[in-house]
Amino acid sequence: MSSPERHVQPVHVQQDWKPDSWQRRVAVQQPQYEQASELETALSSLSTLPPLVTSWEILTLKGLLAEAADGKRFLLQGGDCAESFSDCNSGLISNRLKVLLQMSLVLVHGLRKPILRVGRFAGQYAKPRSTDTETRDGVTLPSYRGDLINGPEFTTASRRADPARLLQGHACSAMTMNFVRALIDGGFADLHHPEYWDLAWVEHSPLAGEYRRMVAGIADAVRFMETLAGQPIASFSRVDFYTSHEALLLYYEQALTRQVPRQWGWFNLATHFPWIGMRTAALDGAHVEYCRGIRNPIGLKLGPGVAPDALLRVIEALNPDDEPGRLTLIHRMGAGTIAGTLPPLLQAVRASGRRVLWCCDPMHGNTETLGSGVKTRRFANIRSELEQAFELHAMAGTRLGGVHLELTGEDVTECMGGARDITEAGLARAYKSTVDPRLNYEQALELAMLIVRKSGGMPTTG
Ligand code: PEP
Ligand code: CO
């Protein structure tokens, strides 16, 4: 685990940076807290609580992301749009883990390379919103900004930004993290028992046959390898999971930004892999300022409005030493615009020689609101954006090394289409998201199968 270079400081130590230097910049998408003293009290408690992850896990992940950029691994980043405190329970957490494990099995089998699993969980509690307020029947209240800030119910009390939620967010993240770690250490992700990951409601899925044939093939391969080795192979018994969330609420991130013994610099120990959302990616903004000084790998969302020269300046700010694994560019353009907006960015980054991992988020550019007011995404658009992304990277001579998805292990009906062809009328059956529509289990698995086909891997039908 230890490599000597980790202890060497790079050329550009971010000297003029401190965990709170972001406060001198414009911080968009932050709540208004009524009482500064109440916020101070919560933050000072938070800054003494134990962290959720460790610096060596963060540095290991950075190395793995560098390998994904080199084509040696594929990144699967996924989970809820927003976690909620009430969803912090064993069933929901283990179902989300099951979907990610099943998808990664499809990907391992088809792509013939290790999959790097990163959850959007254990801290994905703050959401950027397009408007600061929401009006219903003539009543205007602050928008819901995620459970870390306020509540989704449309009442004055619930929509108030409450600093006590910062501590609750830390507690729920820690409980989620603890449960995920315990499941994995206890053998939940054991390749000898992929049946542990089955979800009850999928027995009759149109994809079940294809999935089961693939699992049987993997079980045969595991037995074959162990027969050859003459003993069980320990690495088949566990897989690693890393965590990620949008580094949005900077007071929270700052309170969990720490120095650790025998390491230089600062780490965000609230998550392994924070990302900067599309709405907070301004070069001179507070979020880029905060992220440039921490040693975690950073994700950066790119929307259709990003100009190539602006992107190169943000890359320079976040990764002046061109450190491998440091920066993942997550493009989310929309199926209708990606063909025009992505290639100039690919060309500019390629020409600059900068090392980045490219990742496609086919969800956030494809959100639409139906006449009924329901927010949805069409599976056909998600699929199309992902397919185009593979093709555009191939044409540009760059590599699509990962995918970023919003999904759940529950039987929800939030995105239209997919194997069971969910219709507009069908959305009402089980629409549960308070923010963005997520892929359900089947739709997520279908997408994993599609990735295998598009990236030239093994066909999963057999
Ligand atoms: C998200 O990932 O939930 C999100 C809000 O994404 P973006 O910043 O790309 O819109
Ligand atoms: Co979202």
Side-chain angles (χ1 to χ4, degrees):
M1 291 266 285
S2 69
S3 101
E5 69 211 358
R6 287 196 185 137
H7 303 286
V8 177
Q9 294 201 7
V11 185
H12 297 90
V13 185
Q14 308 274 31
Q15 297 286 12
D16 51 343
W17 182 93
K18 289 211 217 49
D20 66 356
S21 55
W22 64 268
Q23 295 187 22
R24 295 197 298 266
R25 304 283 182 94
V26 175
V28 293
Q29 296 285 344
Q30 305 301 293
Q32 297 296 323
Y33 289 103
E34 285 163 11
Q35 303 274 345
S37 59
E38 223 187 336
L39 177 64
E40 277 311 312
T41 309
L43 291 174
S44 72
S45 303
L46 198 56
S47 61
T48 62
L49 289 173
L52 299 161
V53 302
T54 63
S55 61
W56 58 88
E57 291 169 340
I58 289 171
L59 293 175
T60 302
L61 173 61
K62 208 193 267 184
L64 297 174
L65 289 165
E67 290 182 12
D70 287 342
K72 298 188 190 116
R73 295 179 182 273
F74 190 81
L75 168 67
L76 171 62
Q77 186 176 18
D80 270 312
C81 178
E83 294 174 283
S84 66
F85 296 163
S86 60
D87 284 355
C88 184
N89 66 56
S90 58
L92 285 165
I93 295 168
S94 55
N95 281 354
R96 189 167 45 217
L97 221 51
K98 286 176 184 180
V99 183
L100 289 168
L101 282 166
Q102 290 200 345
M103 288 180 81
S104 67
L105 208 57
V106 171
L107 294 172
V108 161
H109 181 252
L111 301 181
R112 306 276 160 181
K113 58 174 83 164
I115 303 304
L116 178 51
R117 300 164 197 82
V118 177
R120 277 176 70 113
F121 57 51
Q124 176 53 16
Y125 288 114
K127 296 306 301 169
R129 301 318 305 254
S130 44
T131 52
D132 284 344
T133 57
E134 182 183 346
T135 301
R136 289 190 202 172
D137 301 326
V139 179
T140 299
L141 293 174
S143 294
Y144 170 57
R145 290 187 173 274
D147 277 12
L148 196 58
I149 290 122
N150 56 5
E153 300 77 24
F154 194 74
T155 62
T156 309
S158 160
R159 290 293 172 91
R160 170 182 173 266
D162 180 0
R165 286 177 171 271
L166 297 168
L167 296 167
Q168 205 182 344
H170 175 271
C172 287
S173 301
M175 285 185 268
T176 303
M177 194 74 232
N178 181 55
F179 188 49
V180 168
R181 290 188 195 277
L183 281 174
I184 287 170
D185 289 343
F188 183 75
D190 188 342
L191 259 188
H192 302 89
H193 296 285
E195 71 277 9
Y196 291 175
W197 318 338
D198 276 356
L199 289 153
W201 64 274
V202 296
E203 260 167 39
H204 306 293
S205 164
L207 303 174
E210 189 172 346
Y211 177 73
R212 294 214 192 291
R213 274 193 298 279
M214 201 200 61
V215 169
I218 292 175
D220 275 350
V222 167
R223 275 193 297 275
F224 175 72
M225 292 293 291
E226 293 189 336
T227 307
L228 269 187
Q231 59 187 345
I233 298 175
S235 56
F236 289 160
S237 309
R238 59 163 293 135
V239 298
D240 285 328
F241 261 95
Y242 293 92
T243 65
S244 66
H245 68 240
E246 179 170 351
L248 184 68
L249 182 57
L250 292 175
Y251 284 119
Y252 180 82
E253 307 300 334
Q254 181 192 326
L256 285 151
T257 300
R258 313 276 172 87
Q259 286 180 301
V260 298
R262 287 177 295 284
Q263 287 284 3
W264 61 270
W266 295 82
F267 291 84
N268 179 332
L269 298 181
T271 187
H272 299 113
F273 187 18
W275 78 82
I276 303 174
M278 187 192 73
R279 294 167 190 77
T280 51
L283 176 63
D284 55 356
H287 294 79
V288 169
E289 170 60 20
Y290 167 74
C291 285
R292 84 182 168 91
I294 53 174
R295 291 191 60 198
N296 303 57
I298 304 290
L300 178 70
K301 292 283 201 100
L302 303 176
V306 180
D309 56 334
L311 174 58
L312 294 180
R313 285 197 294 273
V314 181
I315 293 175
E316 176 63 27
L318 290 172
N319 194 14
D321 290 299
D322 198 29
E323 184 192 4
R326 161 71 168 171
L327 197 55
T328 299
L329 299 180
I330 308 166
H331 46 80
R332 30 86 78 225
M333 300 293 172
T337 56
I338 185 171
T341 51
L342 185 62
L345 302 181
L346 300 182
Q347 277 145 22
V349 175
R350 186 169 178 226
S352 75
R354 292 299 186 140
R355 282 183 282 207
V356 301
L357 168 60
W358 291 102
C359 177
C360 174
D361 166 358
M363 314 294 297
H364 286 89
N366 294 307
T367 315
E368 58 184 284
T369 305
L370 299 172
S372 56
V374 174
K375 222 177 174 192
T376 191
R377 291 166 173 152
R378 291 169 207 266
F379 189 83
N381 289 338
I382 295 169
R383 173 188 181 133
S384 162
E385 177 158 356
L386 196 52
E387 285 179 343
Q388 292 181 67
F390 275 108
E391 286 158 16
L392 295 167
H393 277 280
M395 282 187 311
T398 47
R399 179 182 292 110
L400 184 61
V403 61
H404 181 117
L405 301 170
E406 286 186 346
L407 51 82
T408 167
E410 306 310 300
D411 179 14
V412 299
T413 51
E414 297 172 4
C415 293
M416 290 165 65
R420 260 183 234 241
D421 200 13
I422 298 173
T423 59
E424 181 166 352
L427 289 177
R429 182 174 67 78
Y431 194 104
K432 297 188 185 151
S433 176
T434 48
V435 272
D436 288 342
R438 302 157 297 175
L439 297 170
N440 65 22
Y441 162 86
E442 268 174 17
Q443 292 167 327
L445 213 56
E446 197 173 345
L447 217 56
M449 291 173 179
L450 175 94
I451 291 167
V452 169
R453 283 184 210 118
K454 273 321 277 190
S455 60
M458 298 253 307
T460 56
T461 42

